[in-house]
C-alpha cells in the first residue's frame, strides 16, 4: 500500500485517501490518528485531562499558514505550562479559558520547518494506560523542543498573562 507523509510531523502512514484537514499542516491520515487518540482520552475518567496535552501537542506540531495565530500561541502556552510549570491538562485548559478573555493581538509564531521527532502515532502505539500517558509527555517535550526559537516569547506571554508566583 502506498504511504503518505505528513507535512507537519513527518509521519508516514498508509494512504487511505483521507481529506486534508483545513486547519492544520497535516495529512488526513495523521489527523485520523489524532482523532483516535482524542477518542481514547475522552472515554477515560482522567482527572488530569490528558486530552488537553494532546490537543496542544498536535496543534503546535501541525502549525502552519492555515492556522490562526491564537491557536498556535495557545498550543505553545499549554506546552510551556506543562513542561516548565508542571500544570496538569485540566489546569492548562483553565489557563486557556483565562487567555481567551484577553483582548490583544496574538503574535504570529511560525515553526522553522516540520516539527519531527515523536508523533501522535508514536503515542498511539504505546499500550493504553500509564505507558501511553508517559509517551504523551515525551511527545510534548519533543514538540516543545522543536519550537526552541520561540520559547522566550511564549514564556513572556505566560509570565505577563498567567503566572503570578
Amino acid at each position: 500500500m502506498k504511504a503518505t507523509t505528513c507535512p507537519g510531523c513527518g509521519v508516514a502512514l498508509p494512504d487511505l485517501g483521507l481529506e486534508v484537514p483545513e486547519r492544520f499542516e497535516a495529512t488526513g491520515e495523521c489527523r485520523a490518528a489524532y482523532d483516535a487518540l482524542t477518542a481514547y482520552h475522552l472515554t477515560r475518567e482522567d482527572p488530569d485531562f490528558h486530552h488537553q496535552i494532546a490537543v496542544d501537542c498536535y496543534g503546535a506540531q501541525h502549525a502552519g499558514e492555515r492556522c490562526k495565530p491564537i491557536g498556535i500561541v495557545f498550543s505553545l502556552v499549554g506546552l510551556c505550562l506543562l513542561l516548565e510549570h508542571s500544570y496538569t491538562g485540566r489546569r492548562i485548559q483553565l489557563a486557556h479559558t483565562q487567555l481567551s478573555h484577553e483582548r490583544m493581538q496574538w503574535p504570529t509564531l511560525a515553526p522553522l520547518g516540520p516539527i519531527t521527532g515523536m508523533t501522535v502515532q508514536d503515542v498511539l502505539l504505546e499500550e493504553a494506560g500509564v505507558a501511553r500517558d508517559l509517551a504523551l509527555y515525551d511527545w510534548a517535550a519533543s514538540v516543545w523542543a522543536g519550537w526552541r526559537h520561540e520559547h522566550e516569547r511564549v514564556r513572556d506571554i505566560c509570565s505577563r498573562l498567567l503566572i503570578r508566583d
Side-chain angles (χ1 to χ4, degrees):
M1 176 177 260
K2 184 178 147 193
T4 183
T5 302
C6 179
C9 67
V11 69
L13 295 169
D15 187 347
L16 303 174
L18 300 178
E19 188 174 329
V20 173
E22 63 182 59
R23 283 190 10 197
F24 297 104
E25 296 297 323
T27 60
E29 290 74 10
C30 184
R31 178 60 193 223
Y34 169 72
D35 291 344
L37 185 61
T38 294
Y40 163 76
H41 281 129
L42 293 178
T43 60
R44 297 176 68 198
E45 291 185 23
D46 176 13
D48 289 334
F49 199 55
H50 285 92
H51 170 67
Q52 184 63 55
I53 299 166
V55 168
D56 291 339
C57 285
Y58 197 83
Q61 190 168 46
H62 296 86
E65 293 177 9
R66 295 180 293 188
C67 301
K68 293 180 181 179
I70 191 172
I72 297 169
V73 169
F74 275 38
S75 291
L76 293 172
V77 163
L79 295 178
C80 180
L81 294 174
L82 172 76
L83 297 165
E84 297 188 5
H85 299 278
S86 302
Y87 276 38
T88 62
R90 181 69 65 208
R91 209 163 156 213
I92 292 166
Q93 182 187 41
L94 294 172
H96 287 333
T97 300
Q98 182 180 341
L99 282 178
S100 71
H101 298 294
E102 294 291 332
R103 300 286 179 233
M104 64 179 287
Q105 180 84 22
W106 296 104
T108 299
L109 306 176
L112 295 176
I115 308 291
T116 58
M118 281 194 74
T119 70
V120 64
Q121 183 68 8
D122 295 319
V123 177
L124 276 175
L125 290 174
E126 292 295 330
E127 184 177 340
V130 174
R132 192 170 291 168
D133 291 347
L134 291 173
L136 180 65
Y137 285 89
D138 289 342
W139 183 31
S142 175
V143 173
W144 180 239
W147 283 90
R148 189 173 290 107
H149 63 288
E150 295 288 11
H151 283 185
E152 287 309 312
R153 289 174 72 184
V154 175
R155 288 177 183 129
D156 180 62
I157 292 167
C158 290
S159 67
R160 281 188 301 109
L161 302 176
L162 296 169
I163 309 296
R164 306 283 188 231
D165 38 44

